[in-house]
């Protein structure tokens, strides 16, 4: 996207004599979640009687930084209307509780060596 914006800006600049200065943006690379964590989280959720769905995430979560030093996994819970990362985001208390229980049981099972 950066290259496209720079290219289009340079075309505009040649047309009207405007000069643009660009600074390369800081690029963060996606953190891949550990397949063992993915499986453990999925297994725990199913053991607790919940449905699961594998979802890719490109968001700039703390997981990106933690993944530099060790494996990571993520647990997503439903948001009303699918709205996320917005002041309008809302999750039902029972969904938050379910997500917290998946996290707790995942940590306990991981700690036990499962």
């Amino acid at each position: 996207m950066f290259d496209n914006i720079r290219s289009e800006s340079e075309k505009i600049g040649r047309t009207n004599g405007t000069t643009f200065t660009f600074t390369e943006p800081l690029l963060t690379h996606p953190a891949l979640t550990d397949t063992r964590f993915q499986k453990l989280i999925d297994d725990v959720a199913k053991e607790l009687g919940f449905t699961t769905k594998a979802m890719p995430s490109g968001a700039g979560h703390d997981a990106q930084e933690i993944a530099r030093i060790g494996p990571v996994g993520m647990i997503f819970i439903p948001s009303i209307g699918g709205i996320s990362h917005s002041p309008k985001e809302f999750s039902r208390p029972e969904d938050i509780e379910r997500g917290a229980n998946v996290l707790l049981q995942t940590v306990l099972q991981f700690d036990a060596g499962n």
Side-chain angles (χ1 to χ4, degrees), residues 53-97:
K53 178 180 180 180
M55 296 176 57
S57 173
H61 293 276
D62 295 341
Q64 285 178 302
E65 300 304 318
I66 298 299
R68 294 178 190 211
I69 60 173
V72 297
M74 296 182 75
I75 299 168
F76 294 90
I77 63 168
S79 295
I80 303 299
I83 298 170
S84 178
H85 297 81
S86 163
K88 295 178 181 178
E89 178 178 358
F90 181 79
S91 294
R92 297 178 312 178
E94 55 269 25
D95 289 326
I96 296 169
E97 179 182 4

